[in-house]
């Protein structure tokens, strides 16, 4: 990850989405999530919350995206070529970002790539989250269990 950026990372090759530039709408340091999944690559969740709020300003994300493409296009055109998706994931559950929809709209004004959101699905019942997710091109929603007992063991 480029040290000049706090909230974007990659691009990484994804079997689901091709070449994907990651966007973290929550934090530049701490994991913020509403689950504590045993398989999470980030480890234990120190900040468990269901509170939707603005963790990172929309303008900050849009500026980093713009800077990334401007800087990398000049330094290494191959790095920015053929990016398929701008993907919201990062250090926790991206739908906790109350301004997720605003971020997607801001990115669409400056970039042509498709937008994806990887979510643990726990907040998809909220109408405002549904509206935010509807702005993306792809929602990758996980389902970890078939019943409450299994869910409690895994998440």
């Amino acid at each position: 990850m480029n040290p000049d950026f706090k909230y974007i990372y990659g691009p990484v090759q994804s079997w689901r989405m091709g070449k994907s530039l990651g966007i973290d709408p929550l934090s530049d340091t701490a994991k913020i999530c509403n689950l504590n999944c045993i398989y999470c690559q980030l480890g234990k969740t120190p900040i468990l919350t269901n509170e939707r709020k603005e963790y990172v300003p929309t303008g900050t994300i849009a500026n980093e995206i713009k800077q990334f493409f401007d800087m990398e296009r000049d330094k290494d055109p191959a790095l920015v070529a053929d990016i398929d998706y701008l993907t919201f994931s990062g250090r926790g559950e991206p739908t906790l970002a109350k301004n997720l929809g605003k971020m997607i709209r801001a990115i669409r004004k400056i970039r042509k790539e498709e937008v994806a959101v990887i979510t643990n699905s726990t907040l998809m019942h909220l109408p405002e989250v549904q509206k935010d997710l509807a702005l993306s091109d792809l929602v990758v929603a996980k389902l970890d269990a078939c019943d409450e007992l299994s869910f409690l063991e895994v998440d």
Side-chain angles (χ1 to χ4, degrees):
M1 184 165 153
N2 186 321
D4 296 327
F5 303 113
K6 291 182 175 183
Y7 303 104
I8 62 174
Y9 54 94
V12 296
Q13 194 63 39
S14 163
W15 64 270
R16 289 180 248 188
M17 294 174 277
K19 196 172 177 183
S20 175
L21 183 68
I23 304 167
D24 188 334
L26 300 173
S27 173
D28 63 338
T29 54
K31 179 181 174 188
I32 301 170
C33 197
N34 55 0
L35 296 179
N36 195 26
C37 304
I38 59 173
Y39 58 81
C40 183
Q41 65 202 31
L42 300 172
K44 192 164 176 61
T45 305
I47 303 171
L48 274 170
T49 185
N50 273 318
E51 181 183 4
R52 291 193 82 219
K53 68 179 191 177
E54 184 175 304
Y55 292 91
V56 179
T58 300
T60 300
I61 295 295
N63 286 337
E64 281 202 11
I65 296 282
K66 186 174 181 336
Q67 286 176 351
F68 172 81
F69 281 95
D70 289 347
M71 180 176 15
E72 296 304 328
R73 184 180 52 243
D74 294 340
K75 262 189 349 189
D76 184 2
L79 185 65
V80 297
D82 303 322
I83 289 181
D84 300 298
Y85 279 94
L86 304 176
T87 305
F88 286 90
S89 60
R91 293 176 185 89
E93 173 50 37
T95 63
L96 287 169
K98 191 172 189 168
N99 57 331
L100 179 61
K102 289 179 184 175
M103 289 182 192
I104 293 170
R105 282 198 260 338
I107 288 170
R108 288 202 184 280
K109 288 180 181 177
I110 59 174
R111 297 302 311 163
K112 64 173 177 38
E113 293 81 9
E114 294 195 7
V115 175
V117 179
I118 299 175
T119 175
N120 65 21
S121 309
T122 56
L123 300 177
M124 288 178 71
H125 66 285
L126 300 173
E128 61 270 23
V129 171
Q130 293 169 16
K131 286 178 185 175
D132 289 349
L133 293 175
L135 297 170
S136 68
D137 299 293
L138 175 67
V139 176
V140 179
K142 72 175 192 159
L143 176 65
D144 282 349
C146 60
D147 59 30
E148 187 172 356
L149 180 59
S150 298
F151 177 78
L152 293 173
E153 289 179 11
V154 174
D155 297 314

